[in-house]
Amino acid sequence: MKILIFFVFTIFWSFGECSHPHPLDPPTPSELNLVRTIVQKAYPSNITFQYVGLEEPDKSTILSWLSLNSKTKTKTKTKTLPPRQFYVVSRYHKQSLEMIVDLRTRSIIGSKVDEGHGYPMLTLDEQTAASELPFLYGPFRESVKKRGLNLSEVICSDFTVGWYGEGKTNRILKIKCYYTNGTVNLYARPLEGIEAVVDLDQMKIIDYTDRFIVPLPKAEGTEYRESKLKPPFGPNLKGIAMMQPGGPGFKIDGHTVSWANWEFHVGFDIRAGPIISLASIYDLQKQKYRQVLYRGFISELFVPYQDPTLEWYYTTYFDCGEFGFGQSASSLQPLTDCPANAAFLDAYYAGSDGTPVKIANAFCIFERYAGDIMWRHTEIEIPKEVITEVRPDVSLVVRMVSTVGNYDYVIDWEFKPSGSIKLGVGLTGILEVKAGIYTNTDQIKEDIYGTLLADNTIGVYHDHFLTYYLDLDIDGETNSFVKSNLETVIVKDPTIPRKSYWTVISETAKTEADARINLGFKPSELVVVNPNKKTKPGNKIGYRLLPGSVVHPLLVTDDYPQIRAAFTNYNVWVTPYNKSEKWASGLYVDRSRGDDTLAAWSLRDREIENKDIVLWYTMGFHHVPSQEDFPIMPTLSGGFELRPTNFFESNPVLKTKSPKHVYWPNCSSQH
């Protein structure tokens, strides 16, 4: 019997101090501590840190620094770094206080109190504190008792409440609770009818209702931990291994990743999560790196549920702006979340008291090969010869998983040697369910706003809309947005048997209004081009947006959640670059009113032709839950692609050599 033994080498980096600092690096632990010291010196008490993020230098400063250091390639990089500054949003005396903190001068160089609508991102500490209040509240304890439940097996969670036309709002959350007896799948056993309202500034319950009692869903069948599951098991999956005896094919220098013909910077933000910057690709024919993406990230994730009852109507989350995609990042598990050949990176953010919080293994980076084909052709037309040429498709993936309450979002940035960037999203985790009186669909005589998944368990209909910020700089900062519609033409020549064909009618968007697009109504090609540079045949160089499945909002435009999320009214927007315009839902999202969103900015209808522009793309999912999604949901995947279009003179991977085959010792192939 032959026994095969191999070792898995997992590589770890940290978003802490690094040897080659970069002006777009996320905050390090020492920087966060220094920000905390500077702010608390000016405001010695009762101040919380809602958001601490990089106050990124102007784009011209970044590009000048990049150009200088690409020429020098020395260890003098730190001497040319722009000043490190951080943007801080705090709560102080029930007001939202904005500050810019300069680490070089160790001072606050700018501050103001926000006078607008809405409140800053929630901290984990205040969410935890609010969720614990019901356990000391008499009426809640009585509600649990009259249901015959054990208080020690109840867990509560917080929900943002949105805005529904109120003239004045307070900073409040609603609290709902779940029962864990018999299961750790707490979301499967909601205590329907109970609801507490917490004022966050006072940190106390200001309202409480117990409207009705419905049967508690059963714990049976909701377990998902492998160690607790009982036979029979299946399906039986055989072992799979990814071998790289020579080590990874990529390099990480600080936060800059180099792989194949790509180079880019990986950053982290407490609100956005992963940020990819300065992605450029090496052009073999031109013998130089060329710009593609200056900065890209998920700007917002809007999740409106479709139950309009008193207990559910407000359940319309903004997962980035209210809860923080980065703050919600999960520690990735080697060999399961990521393959054996992955490198892992830690990340840090500021907790509510300003101290650094570490997320171990926040990112993984790995080369992916799954038997895909980069390009191939078999030629049999040449007499007495058969030619077959195939190149396997290997790509590089940067992954983060953000667990926002019940849902886990798998975020992938995938770079391909062909020049494409594929952006993927996987939805998994646990459905948001409500308890009901029904055990069979035959009993239902009303709209239950969802799918009956199990006894007394309703999976509520909902949407997921992810809006991406994509500052494409195609071979330079001045770009244009070209809409090329595919239109049917009638053949008028009676001597030709064909009656019709389609052709391409192109239009360059001149202002923001020209670029707003709802996809799916007519076939089109959407390309960001550099109008100042052309290929040898005369085509404008560009990158094309290849959308995923087309999903549009189904709420009416004057519904309050949709007013706040008006940035999802179109799949595509294009705006002129403005460093302050990066959050599609606005700076202050909790209880916002839709007056500081991408939709509001775009009303200015600014010029975008031959300008430094930003492409915004919203992909979505309408989710009608099914029984297969319960008790835990198999990953539902979606995504889109940014693909070079006349960017290269010809196929950039024509001369790519196939990776060397790895032969396992003492093994023979079986045919």
Side-chain angles (χ1 to χ4, degrees):
M1 180 174 63
K2 297 176 181 178
I3 300 175
L4 180 65
I5 300 175
F6 67 94
F7 297 92
V8 176
F9 294 94
T10 305
I11 305 167
F12 295 87
W13 276 270
S14 174
F15 277 146
E17 324 302 333
C18 60
S19 57
H20 287 163
H22 189 289
L24 293 178
D25 283 348
T28 66
S30 62
E31 288 177 328
L32 291 172
N33 277 321
L34 183 53
V35 169
R36 177 176 180 260
T37 298
I38 294 167
V39 171
Q40 289 186 338
K41 183 178 179 181
Y43 303 93
S45 62
N46 299 321
I47 191 165
T48 59
F49 293 80
Q50 310 296 133
Y51 174 87
V52 178
L54 180 67
E55 175 68 10
E56 64 183 84
D58 292 336
K59 183 187 281 193
S60 58
T61 302
I62 296 289
L63 295 178
S64 296
W65 178 89
L66 189 68
S67 176
L68 173 64
N69 285 281
S70 65
K71 294 174 182 176
T72 59
K73 291 292 183 182
T74 68
K75 292 186 178 181
T76 60
K77 290 182 180 181
T78 54
K79 295 181 181 178
T80 61
L81 276 175
R84 288 285 279 177
Q85 297 177 348
F86 289 91
Y87 183 77
V88 179
V89 178
S90 292
R91 287 293 288 176
Y92 185 66
H93 293 314
K94 300 182 181 180
Q95 293 181 310
S96 297
L97 177 64
E98 302 171 29
M99 292 167 275
I100 296 177
V101 178
D102 188 291
L103 299 192
R104 184 172 57 183
T105 61
R106 295 177 176 250
S107 64
I108 298 172
I109 61 173
S111 66
K112 70 172 185 177
V113 173
D114 176 63
E115 301 290 348
H117 305 299
Y119 301 100
M121 197 180 78
L122 301 164
T123 69
L124 292 181
D125 285 346
E126 63 190 354
Q127 292 180 68
T128 299
S131 298
E132 291 174 349
L133 289 176
F135 297 95
L136 301 176
Y137 189 68
F140 173 76
R141 296 167 67 92
E142 184 61 32
S143 293
V144 173
K145 182 179 179 180
K146 76 178 182 182
R147 285 166 170 79
L149 305 178
N150 188 341
L151 187 66
S152 66
E153 294 179 305
V154 174
I155 290 179
C156 295
S157 186
D158 59 292
F159 294 72
T160 50
V161 301
W163 172 73
Y164 291 87
E166 304 94 328
K168 182 180 179 181
T169 60
N170 295 321
R171 193 162 175 259
I172 62 173
L173 292 174
K174 290 191 177 182
I175 308 297
K176 291 184 177 182
C177 302
Y178 306 88
Y179 201 50
T180 62
N181 179 271
T183 182
V184 295
N185 193 338
L186 63 100
Y187 295 103
R189 309 195 76 192
L191 304 186
E192 213 68 51
I194 299 175
E195 185 176 272
V197 180
V198 172
D199 185 303
L200 286 176
D201 288 328
Q202 301 180 62
M203 198 52 74
K204 72 175 186 179
I205 294 175
I206 58 172
D207 193 19
Y208 180 79
T209 56
D210 183 353
R211 295 185 61 234
F212 52 81
I213 298 177
V214 296
L216 186 68
K218 298 175 183 178
E220 181 183 359
T222 64
E223 181 60 70
Y224 56 84
R225 291 173 293 177
E226 184 175 0
S227 62
K228 301 294 183 181
L229 296 175
K230 297 178 181 179
F233 298 106
N236 185 21
L237 303 177
K238 299 294 184 180
I240 297 173
M242 172 73 175
M243 290 285 291
Q244 290 185 291
F250 56 89
K251 295 180 180 178
I252 302 178
D253 180 6
H255 309 292
T256 299
V257 179
S258 302
W259 173 80
N261 47 356
W262 281 101
E263 186 171 277
F264 56 90
H265 181 274
V266 179
F268 173 83
D269 180 82
I270 185 175
R271 177 167 172 172
I275 298 179
I276 303 297
S277 302
L278 300 172
S280 60
I281 190 166
Y282 188 76
D283 188 322
L284 187 62
Q285 292 177 301
K286 295 183 182 293
Q287 297 282 295
K288 68 176 184 178
Y289 278 94
R290 300 171 63 192
Q291 294 171 267
V292 176
L293 177 72
Y294 178 73
R295 208 146 164 82
F297 54 88
I298 295 175
S299 181
E300 191 54 87
L301 170 53
F302 175 49
V303 188
Y305 282 78
Q306 305 304 315
D307 185 333
T309 61
L310 281 174
E311 286 71 34
W312 276 79
Y313 74 90
Y314 55 84
T315 312
T316 54
Y317 306 124
F318 292 76
D319 281 346
C320 291
E322 292 175 340
F323 297 100
F325 232 39
Q327 179 176 244
S328 303
S330 295
S331 292
L332 299 175
Q333 304 300 305
L335 304 181
T336 50
D337 282 320
C338 310
N341 61 321
F344 290 82
L345 301 94
D346 301 333
Y348 297 87
Y349 68 88
S352 61
D353 64 352
T355 57
V357 177
K358 178 181 178 179
I359 304 173
N361 296 0
F363 289 88
C364 67
I365 300 175
F366 59 92
E367 288 164 287
R368 170 187 281 162
Y369 173 60
D372 296 325
I373 296 171
M374 179 188 290
W375 61 262
R376 82 171 315 281
H377 181 61
T378 295
E379 183 56 69
I380 60 174
E381 297 297 331
I382 300 174
K384 299 181 181 180
E385 190 171 4
V386 175
I387 300 171
T388 297
E389 285 287 320
V390 185
R391 298 294 183 272
D393 194 18
V394 181
S395 59
L396 186 75
V397 177
V398 179
R399 172 172 295 168
M400 190 195 86
V401 173
S402 185
T403 302
V404 190
N406 56 305
Y407 261 104
D408 295 64
Y409 295 93
V410 183
I411 307 301
D412 283 354
W413 287 77
E414 182 176 4
F415 295 84
K416 303 176 81 66
S418 62
S420 284
I421 304 174
K422 297 184 74 173
L423 298 94
V425 178
L427 279 62
T428 180
I430 297 171
L431 292 175
E432 190 90 48
V433 302
K434 72 172 183 177
I437 62 174
Y438 304 109
T439 58
N440 191 281
T441 56
D442 292 341
Q443 303 166 340
I444 301 172
K445 307 299 181 185
E446 59 184 342
D447 193 344
I448 61 170
Y449 317 110
T451 304
L452 186 64
L453 304 174
D455 288 356
N456 312 115
T457 305
I458 299 166
V460 180
Y461 304 143
H462 59 281
D463 301 315
H464 304 261
F465 293 103
L466 296 100
T467 299
Y468 282 79
Y469 172 103
L470 301 164
D471 182 4
L472 291 164
D473 284 356
I474 306 302
D475 222 14
E477 297 87 80
T478 50
N479 290 176
S480 294
F481 181 64
V482 177
K483 300 181 291 182
S484 297
N485 293 323
L486 311 186
E487 299 192 359
T488 302
V489 180
I490 302 300
V491 177
K492 297 180 180 179
D493 188 340
T495 65
I496 297 176
R498 281 281 294 272
K499 294 184 179 181
S500 63
Y501 66 96
W502 64 259
T503 191
V504 179
I505 306 297
S506 296
E507 173 192 355
T508 299
K510 297 187 180 301
T511 68
E512 293 175 271
D514 297 335
R516 297 175 200 143
I517 297 172
N518 265 327
L519 298 168
F521 295 107
K522 64 167 61 177
S524 59
E525 300 271 305
L526 306 175
V527 186
V528 175
V529 304
N530 188 326
N532 310 297
K533 297 181 181 180
K534 296 183 179 180
T535 59
K536 288 180 181 178
N539 295 308
K540 295 174 183 177
I541 67 169
Y543 258 72
R544 179 173 29 157
L545 171 68
L546 294 178
S549 60
V550 176
V551 173
H552 303 127
L554 297 176
L555 302 181
V556 296
T557 56
D558 63 347
D559 195 356
Y560 289 105
Q562 196 59 38
I563 291 172
R564 300 174 66 212
F567 54 89
T568 65
N569 287 343
Y570 294 94
N571 299 110
V572 176
W573 308 71
V574 179
T575 61
Y577 171 78
N578 183 326
K579 190 175 75 170
S580 67
E581 294 178 359
K582 59 184 181 180
W583 306 121
S585 52
L587 178 58
Y588 296 101
V589 183
D590 182 30
R591 311 217 70 187
S592 61
R593 304 186 182 186
D595 51 4
D596 177 31
T597 67
L598 168 60
W601 313 329
S602 189
L603 291 175
R604 287 173 280 180
D605 201 19
R606 295 161 290 187
E607 294 183 358
I608 57 172
E609 185 178 14
N610 204 11
K611 304 283 186 183
D612 189 356
I613 57 176
V614 175
L615 174 70
W616 306 76
Y617 173 66
T618 296
M619 61 174 290
F621 303 82
H622 292 308
H623 193 173
V624 177
S626 65
Q627 288 182 239
E628 289 80 1
D629 296 335
F630 185 81
I632 197 161
M633 178 180 164
T635 300
L636 173 65
S637 298
F640 63 99
E641 183 176 345
L642 300 171
R643 186 179 180 92
T645 302
N646 301 317
F647 184 84
F648 298 102
E649 292 293 339
S650 60
N651 181 352
V653 289
L654 175 67
K655 296 184 178 181
T656 297
K657 293 184 177 181
S658 297
K660 293 181 179 179
H661 294 289
V662 177
Y663 294 96
W664 296 57
N666 301 319
C667 287
S668 58
S669 299
Q670 296 181 355
H671 299 282

